[in-house]
Each structure stands twice: as C-alpha cells, then as structure tokens.
Amino acid sequence: MEHIKIFTQLIANELHLSEHAVSNTLKLLDEGCTIPFISRYRKERTGGLDEVQITAISDRAEHLAEIQKRKETILKTIGEQDKLTPELEKRIQDCWELTTLEDIYLPYKPKRRTRAQVAREQGLEPLAQLLLMQREQKPMQAAQRYVQGDVKDVATALKGAQDIIAEQMSEDERNRNLVRSAFRREAFIVSKAVKSKKDTDEAQKYSDYFDWEEPLKRCSSHRLLAMRRGESEGFLRISLTIDDDEAVRRLKRNLPPNPFPGGGACRKLLEEAVEDGYKRLLLPSIETEFANLSKERADEEAIRVFAENLRQLLLSAPLGQKRVMGIDPGFRTGCKVVCLDTQGNLLHHEAIFPHPPVNHRMQASIHVQQMIQDYQIEAIAIGNGTASRETKEFVDDAVGSLQSANSQKQTANSKQPQIYTVSEDGASVYSASKVAREEFPDEDVTVRGAVSIGRRLMDPLAELVKIDPKSIGVGQYQHDVDQGKLKHSLDQVVESCVNLVGVNLNTASQHLLTYVSGLGPVLAQNIVNYRKENGAFTSRAQLKKVPRLGPAAFQQCAGFLRIPDAKNPLDNSAVHPESYHVVEQMAKDRQCSVADLIRSQETRAHINLQQYVTTEVGLPTLTDIMKELEKPGRDPREQIEAFEFDPTVQTIEDLHEGMELPGIVTNIANFGAFVDIGVHQDGLVHVSQLANRYVSDPTQVVHLHQHVRVKVIGVDLRRHRISLSMKGLK
C-alpha cells in the first residue's frame, strides 16, 4: 500500500497530473479496467484524463514496479553479505532511478572472478589501502611484506593492489557520474566500414556511414538504427568516443589529496591504477550504458512513429457495407478476382489474364462486366502492387464499356461502380495465416489475398487487425527495435482504434472482437459461437448469456459493441448500459420515448443536465451522453475518396525535375514522408520540403493515405531514388 502511495506521488510529479487523478487511475487499472474503458466511461474519477495520459500512467507504474522488484533483490543480496547498514538501506529504498540504483549496488554485486578479486584473495587489500592513504614514502619496501604464496615478487604485489584500486575507482559513484556527464555532453558516435566487406554490393546500402561521425545527442533515431543494423549485419563498426585524456585528468582530481610531500611514489602508482581502471573497466561500462541508452531512445522514437502511422492506417476511411469486387493484380499469373457481399462474404472468385504474356484482354473484360452485373458490384478494390496501374486502366475501360452499353439499353441498374486502389501490404501474410485458413479452408492463398484487398476497402480496421502490424508496411526498422516494447505499443494502438470506432456485435470476426475492451481470444470466440448457435444478438443484455462473460467483462465491453436495428436504439450507441436509466429518465421527463429523444434535437435542447447529476453520474458523462444522442454510433473516421495517378507517368524514367503530380502518402518517418506517385517506387518528401515553414514533426503536416500534390525535385535512376517537394502545393 505504501508503494502505491509513493508511485502516485512520483507519477503525478513526473506527468504534471493531480495525485487524485493518478491514484484513481491506478486503482481502476488494478481492478482490471482497460485504458479505453477508463478514458471513455470513468471521466469523473480520473478528472477527464485521455488515453495518452492513462497509458503514460500505466507504463510508468509498470516501470516503478520493476524498480521496486529490483530493490528487493538488491536488499536481499547485500543483506546476505552482512553489509546492509541502515543508511544504505534507506538510500536504496529512497532511490527510484534505475541507473543510480545499479551504481549503489555495484560494489556489492556478485561478480565473476576479476583481477581485483584474485588480488583480494592473495591478501593484497591492505596494500591497496596503504597506497590510497599515500603515507608510505617507499611503497616498494611496503609491498615486500606481501610477497608470499602466489605473489612471487614486489611487482606482482603492487600490480595486484593497483587492480583493487582500479576496480574501486571504476565502481565509485562520483567517478561513474563524471564519465557519464562527459558522454552526455560530448560523446560522438563513430561509424567505420568493415574493410573486408566495404566493396560488396550488400554493403552499399550503408555507404553513407562508411566514414561517419556526429555528436551522439544529435544523432536521429533513424540514423542510429541504420548504423546499428549495419553493425549487426557485419558491414559497419560503431563506437562512442569522448576526450579520454580529459576524462582521466578529471578522475585523477577525484583521488584523495596527498597528506604530505612524501606521497609522490604512491601517487604515481595511484594514477596508473586510475588510467587502467578507466580504460579497462569504467570506459567500456559507460560506453555500453550509453550505447544501450541511445538505442533505447531510438527504439522509443521509432516505435512512436510506427504507432502513429498504424493508428492512421487503422482509422483509414471505410467504404462501408457495399457489394465489392476485390482484385489482386498480376502479369504472368493473372489477376485474381473475388466478389463479396455487403458483409464481406465470398460469393465468387476466378482468375483473368488481361496483361502480357497471356494477354486475353477482351475475354477478361467480358468476365469482369459479367461479374459486375451478376453480383451487383457497387465498388472495385484493386491492390497497389505489381501490375496495379495496368489493371486499373483495364478495369476503367471494362467498366466504361459496360456503362456505355447499359446506357444504350437504358438498363435500370446502370450505376457505375467506383474504382479504388487499395494498399495490399500484408495481404500475402494474411493469406497464409492461421486466421485466413480458418476463414477460407478450401481456398488457396491467392483467393484469400484478393478477399483481404476487397474487405480493406469496406472496413480497413476490421481487416487489418488480422495481420501482424509489423507486416503492414508503415514502420521503419521495426525488426531492429525492442520487440517486446513494439508489440506492447502496437497492441495498445489496435485496442484503442477498435474501441474508438466501436464494433458491430453481429458481424465482427473473432479476431476483431479480441481487441474489444474486456474481451480477449476466449470470450471473443465464445461470442462468435453463441451467435452461430442462437442467431444475431438483439440486445446488449444478451451478452450476459455468453459462457464465461461475467459482470466485469460485460461492464468493460458493452459500451464498445454495437447492435444496428436493435429494439433499444441505445444498443447501437456509445452510451453505456449502466447509463441507460439516465437517458430513460430524460425521455420520461420530456414525455417521449428514447427514440424520440434521439430524433428530436429540439427536445434535447430543453434538457437541463444539472438536473441529472448524481454522486455516480457527473457532467462529463452527461455531456458525452448528449453528444452520442445527437449522432448515435457515429463513425469517427473520414469519408473515403477515389484517387487517380497522372496517366502520363508510368515509370521512373518518365519523371523529370519540375513535374507536379498527384500522390498518396504511404509511410511517414521522422525525416519526412514517402509518397506513391504511380511509378512503382515511392518518392521521399524530406521534412524540409513538406511546407514553407519549419516542420519538427511530419505528422503535423501529412497523414497516412492522404492525397497530396508533389513536385519532382530530383531523380536518381542509378539508386532508384526520387526526391519530392510539397512546398507551395496543396
């Protein structure tokens, strides 16, 4: 309990939040409440904290708990050595900074058999203390007394004493902080090519770092991760450097002062020990610490960018429930075509070969037209991979011909399907996954991939949650960062997006339901099984009949599940069942039904919210209820827009400087945004070219899948690099 109080104070101070809000949030998390549930339905208790703040509290609490666990191990270890004084114990208990905690522990930490440990076993510690006191005018004569056993001579005795002093000085907190301070201020990261591999083709992607150095504190996340990847692949050698001579001079000043002029001989031996301790022990230790720290910070930044990109991708505009044709384009193997109903169920599939080498364009066109008519297709989704543009042109012609024929025949159903290009990143991963095999056990991977493309157009969120986020193509160096932290962050993003949008209880897949607040794989599968056995849910209350879905899980999940056309209109809204009685009382007071209350803005305008405030329901909840009654179950995502590339530009060879082209933002990094302009190679809009002003964060200017206009400012055909600018363009 005392720890919770301390955690609350530390987190509140660090995040600049009230202790009351932090304390309540920690209690809610401890009770098993999810972050989306707390931020949406417990605003009175948290003071209106949002998901970002609650996530920060949760993450920080986990970190402090790890430190507390580490303290307990340290106290136990030092206690077993009978070296735990009351002062040392208090210092450890009061420490909440991991680096400082490890420094305190270092002198007591069990070690493998070091040179200093060997010297201690040889009885040389008194000689080391004698040298440190610097009162012995003739240290060689003093050392003679320790020549015995394994200590063969005076030189061995003095060297052993110096080893003890070197280890002591390397473990001294002041000395470690002195060297840390130097690394913090002045460390350079240096990258050199491995000579034996420098001229290989594989090494050329790291050519920018063959002879590179810059201040560590200025090294960006993407550069550091690129260098570390080059090092792990054996093409680069990375090191951190500081002014060693200056560091040693400062360490020598930390030595005990000479008590009298006769300490000169001892002083020389001490300074030699300092130099040895710095180069052999202290420098490698702090260099490793800063290498790890810089990598950790680079990981955090890369994960932050990845998470933001994933959020934007998952919240991409949905087409909605339309009858869709999905096309996975290809040349030699043809285009795999699927037709889906409004729920995304597979109705039909076949392969067409409109492109070389088969080139059955006319036959393929007839088949596409027939499928559009037979399955009443309302929209067409084309994957953006190989043969995408060629397939888009072919489909445009086929649909145009069908439209012309229908117009001449005056066919009633002559509305032309809208054509969209859809990112197919990760579709192949999905098609070979366990989820896809369970959904389509009798279809091959090409059919599953085309289904995924079609469904992504209908509802990107529902389809993309089935794919490992690392395979979706919106991050950089995702395989180089801490995989545990990456998964934790991306899982939080997926959960946040799913619960922000809400889930149709009667159509959601088991995989999508898994991410709903309070559920998980088992309860999600139980919901799907209940649906199969009992038909569609007609009310949220029916969830209580699902096996193992108890009151706690119901409280967490109910507000995020939607039932369109439910008898109670609130079941298709974000109003939580625990607040239904409030809305019902409002309707009763206005002498109308809940449905009437939702329909009539005028009726809602006469409601005085203060009248419904209680100890359990405050103004934040009442305000949210009123917003929800205005547009029940509204989708927070934008409306989808069709897009066309410049038809005159097909390959990178068609580009020239000064061209202005339409494009789609495909990925965002700290250094800029990648834009697809339809030449099978994304161009880069460097952060300095995003706007006519300084931009510190590209996400302030662009978002994923945004339609933009860009100007070509550079084309490198040899390295297949395209430089773009958005300055002055809309």
Side-chain angles (χ1 to χ4, degrees):
M1 192 66 188
E2 184 63 28
H3 294 151
I4 298 298
K5 186 176 179 182
I6 295 171
F7 287 8
T8 297
Q9 293 170 344
L10 290 169
I11 295 171
N13 290 335
E14 183 180 330
L15 301 180
H16 308 292
L17 299 171
S18 76
E19 288 189 21
H20 177 74
V22 172
S23 176
N24 280 344
T25 300
L26 290 175
K27 287 175 185 174
L28 287 165
L29 289 167
D30 192 50
E31 291 167 8
C33 296
T34 67
I35 292 172
F37 176 81
I38 296 170
S39 66
R40 181 68 177 80
Y41 296 113
R42 291 296 179 264
K43 292 180 178 177
E44 285 83 355
R45 289 184 64 179
T46 68
L49 297 183
D50 60 27
E51 279 195 21
V52 174
Q53 293 168 312
I54 296 168
T55 300
I57 292 171
S58 175
D59 290 346
R60 188 59 184 153
E62 286 181 15
H63 179 65
L64 291 174
E66 289 173 8
I67 293 177
Q68 179 59 36
K69 191 174 179 182
R70 180 63 175 154
K71 282 194 212 181
E72 291 166 4
T73 300
I74 289 171
L75 289 168
K76 181 182 177 184
T77 303
I78 299 176
E80 289 171 350
Q81 299 172 17
D82 292 327
K83 295 179 181 178
L84 187 61
T85 64
E87 294 78 16
L88 181 57
E89 182 176 7
K90 185 177 187 309
R91 191 154 180 242
I92 291 170
Q93 291 287 21
D94 291 344
C95 180
W96 293 99
E97 211 285 312
L98 201 52
T99 301
T100 304
L101 186 64
E102 295 297 339
D103 277 356
I104 296 171
Y105 179 44
L106 191 57
Y108 309 95
K109 189 175 184 178
K111 305 176 183 69
R112 54 196 174 123
R113 206 155 173 264
T114 63
R115 280 163 48 173
Q117 184 60 33
V118 171
R120 289 189 186 96
E121 292 169 3
Q122 293 171 342
L124 295 174
E125 190 149 25
L127 178 59
Q129 293 305 313
L130 195 69
L131 296 180
L132 278 168
M133 292 170 66
Q134 303 178 72
R135 290 178 181 168
E136 184 60 59
Q137 296 187 32
K138 297 180 180 180
M140 294 188 70
Q141 287 185 10
Q144 184 66 49
R145 298 196 297 269
Y146 296 90
V147 177
Q148 56 185 346
D150 291 336
V151 182
K152 303 298 184 184
D153 50 36
V154 168
T156 303
L158 289 173
K159 188 69 183 70
Q162 285 180 309
D163 286 341
I164 293 171
I165 293 166
E167 186 172 275
Q168 286 179 347
M169 67 78 56
S170 74
E171 293 179 349
D172 182 84
E173 280 186 68
R174 285 186 310 158
N175 292 336
R176 295 182 72 81
N177 284 329
L178 186 152
V179 177
R180 260 192 209 106
S181 179
F183 267 84
R184 204 172 287 118
R185 287 193 319 269
E186 62 193 55
F188 272 73
I189 183 167
V190 179
S191 172
K192 301 287 185 184
V194 174
K195 290 183 180 179
S196 61
K197 297 183 178 181
K198 184 176 182 179
D199 296 325
T200 63
D201 291 340
E202 295 91 342
Q204 294 313 302
K205 59 185 174 182
Y206 300 111
S207 59
D208 290 345
Y209 304 109
F210 281 175
D211 188 14
W212 175 272
E213 71 172 53
E214 68 174 314
L216 179 62
K217 61 186 177 184
R218 293 184 194 162
C219 184
S220 66
S221 166
H222 65 272
R223 283 202 300 275
L224 190 139
L225 290 173
M227 284 186 268
R228 290 297 182 194
R229 178 186 285 182
E231 181 182 44
S232 67
E233 292 180 1
F235 300 117
L236 302 175
R237 285 199 178 91
I238 312 298
S239 61
L240 303 181
T241 65
I242 60 171
D243 186 336
D244 292 333
D245 293 338
E246 178 59 26
V248 170
R249 278 195 293 273
R250 290 175 181 168
L251 289 170
K252 287 177 179 178
R253 289 201 289 269
N254 276 351
L255 284 170
N258 288 338
F260 53 85
C266 288
R267 188 75 181 186
K268 185 173 184 300
L269 292 169
L270 285 178
E271 290 184 349
E272 287 175 359
V274 168
E275 291 173 12
D276 172 57
Y278 172 75
K279 292 176 182 175
R280 182 169 56 86
L281 301 171
L282 185 50
L283 178 62
S285 173
I286 303 300
E287 182 180 353
T288 299
E289 182 182 305
F290 270 76
N292 292 338
L293 185 62
S294 61
K295 170 67 164 56
E296 189 178 311
R297 288 174 178 165
D299 282 3
E300 287 174 0
E301 183 58 21
I303 290 170
R304 184 193 68 79
V305 172
F306 195 162
E308 179 55 33
N309 284 350
L310 178 63
R311 179 179 295 279
Q312 292 181 16
L313 184 65
L314 293 177
L315 295 179
S316 297
L319 179 67
Q321 294 186 324
K322 306 283 186 183
R323 298 175 74 88
V324 169
M325 175 184 289
I327 304 179
D328 187 357
F331 287 116
R332 183 181 57 81
T333 57
C335 301
K336 183 62 70 174
V337 184
V338 298
C339 297
L340 310 175
D341 67 14
T342 57
Q343 303 298 325
N345 297 312
L346 178 62
L347 302 174
H348 172 78
H349 68 83
E350 64 179 84
I352 58 173
F353 298 85
H355 311 306
V358 179
N359 226 4
H360 290 167
R361 191 177 181 92
M362 181 60 73
Q363 183 185 44
S365 180
I366 293 170
H367 279 244
V368 167
Q369 291 170 355
Q370 192 63 50
M371 282 185 277
I372 290 172
Q373 290 182 317
D374 289 349
Y375 299 101
Q376 299 173 4
I377 297 300
E378 299 170 89
I380 300 173
I382 301 171
N384 68 343
T386 303
S388 174
R389 290 200 65 179
E390 293 81 358
T391 302
K392 171 76 163 55
E393 291 170 5
F394 156 73
V395 173
D396 279 338
D397 289 344
V399 171
S401 298
L402 178 63
Q403 182 72 8
S404 177
N406 284 340
S407 296
Q408 291 175 7
K409 296 176 183 177
Q410 295 184 334
T411 304
N413 183 24
S414 60
K415 189 175 181 181
Q416 182 171 329
Q418 188 75 49
I419 303 168
Y420 300 89
T421 301
V422 176
S423 170
E424 60 180 49
D425 284 330
S428 59
V429 174
Y430 161 77
S431 62
S433 69
K434 181 174 180 286
V435 176
R437 291 196 301 273
E438 288 173 351
E439 284 192 285
F440 302 104
D442 301 324
E443 307 298 347
D444 65 24
V445 291
T446 60
V447 174
R448 297 171 192 159
V451 170
S452 181
I453 289 169
R455 286 178 172 176
R456 287 186 194 195
L457 177 63
M458 299 167 71
D459 190 340
L461 177 60
E463 195 61 23
L464 292 173
V465 294
K466 301 173 185 176
I467 303 170
D468 182 347
K470 288 186 292 185
S471 302
I472 298 178
V474 293
Q476 284 206 315
Y477 304 106
Q478 57 261 44
H479 300 291
D480 301 299
V481 301
D482 185 299
Q483 296 301 292
K485 289 181 179 178
L486 177 63
K487 184 178 187 309
H488 176 68
S489 177
L490 299 185
D491 282 349
Q492 284 184 330
V493 170
V494 176
E495 181 183 45
S496 172
C497 292
V498 168
N499 291 288
L500 174 67
V501 172
V503 170
N504 186 325
L505 181 55
N506 286 322
T507 61
S509 66
Q510 183 261 346
H511 210 79
L512 183 59
L513 287 167
T514 296
Y515 289 99
V516 172
S517 168
L519 299 182
V522 173
L523 287 179
Q525 187 60 57
N526 288 354
I527 288 173
V528 172
N529 293 342
Y530 184 90
R531 219 164 51 194
K532 288 178 182 176
E533 294 168 9
N534 301 279
F537 286 87
T538 57
S539 74
R540 282 171 168 167
Q542 278 182 275
L543 281 164
K544 297 175 181 178
K545 297 179 181 178
V546 173
R548 300 180 64 179
L549 202 156
F554 178 80
Q555 181 192 56
Q556 295 296 308
C557 74
F560 302 104
L561 296 169
R562 309 279 186 269
I563 305 176
D565 304 319
K567 183 178 179 181
N568 185 342
L570 295 178
D571 281 344
N572 192 37
S573 75
V575 177
H576 197 283
E578 67 188 10
S579 297
Y580 281 9
H581 69 282
V582 178
V583 182
E584 289 162 358
Q585 187 62 50
M586 289 177 177
K588 184 178 179 182
D589 292 344
R590 304 312 303 173
Q591 298 181 335
C592 66
S593 66
V594 170
D596 292 335
L597 195 63
I598 292 172
R599 279 192 294 268
S600 174
Q601 192 276 332
E602 184 181 353
T603 303
R604 295 194 304 275
H606 288 91
I607 293 175
N608 176 10
L609 293 185
Q610 290 290 348
Q611 180 182 339
Y612 301 96
V613 173
T614 67
T615 54
E616 296 296 322
V617 181
L619 275 177
T621 294
L622 292 169
T623 302
D624 283 347
I625 288 173
M626 295 307 291
K627 287 179 182 175
E628 192 61 25
L629 294 180
E630 185 179 341
K631 292 182 180 177
R634 63 184 163 191
D635 194 319
R637 296 172 288 184
E638 297 178 351
Q639 294 295 311
I640 195 167
E641 296 177 1
F643 176 83
E644 296 283 345
F645 288 117
D646 187 318
T648 65
V649 174
Q650 299 286 334
T651 68
I652 192 171
E653 287 79 11
D654 295 332
L655 300 176
H656 59 77
E657 290 186 21
M659 267 186 168
E660 288 188 18
L661 301 167
I664 299 175
V665 177
T666 58
N667 205 351
I668 301 173
N670 273 347
F671 52 85
F674 291 93
V675 177
D676 183 0
I677 53 176
V679 296
H680 305 295
Q681 175 64 51
D682 289 355
L684 173 65
V685 182
H686 189 267
V687 64
S688 62
Q689 295 294 325
L690 282 170
N692 291 321
R693 58 181 173 81
Y694 173 73
V695 176
S696 59
D697 181 358
T699 59
Q700 296 173 349
V701 180
V702 291
H703 58 81
L704 219 56
H705 290 181
Q706 180 179 346
H707 299 171
V708 296
R709 285 200 66 79
V710 294
K711 179 186 288 186
V712 179
I713 58 174
V715 182
D716 185 339
L717 292 176
R718 186 177 67 85
R719 295 201 291 178
H720 269 70
R721 291 187 177 178
I722 305 165
S723 299
L724 304 171
S725 174
M726 286 173 50
K727 284 186 172 181
L729 301 175
K730 293 184 179 180

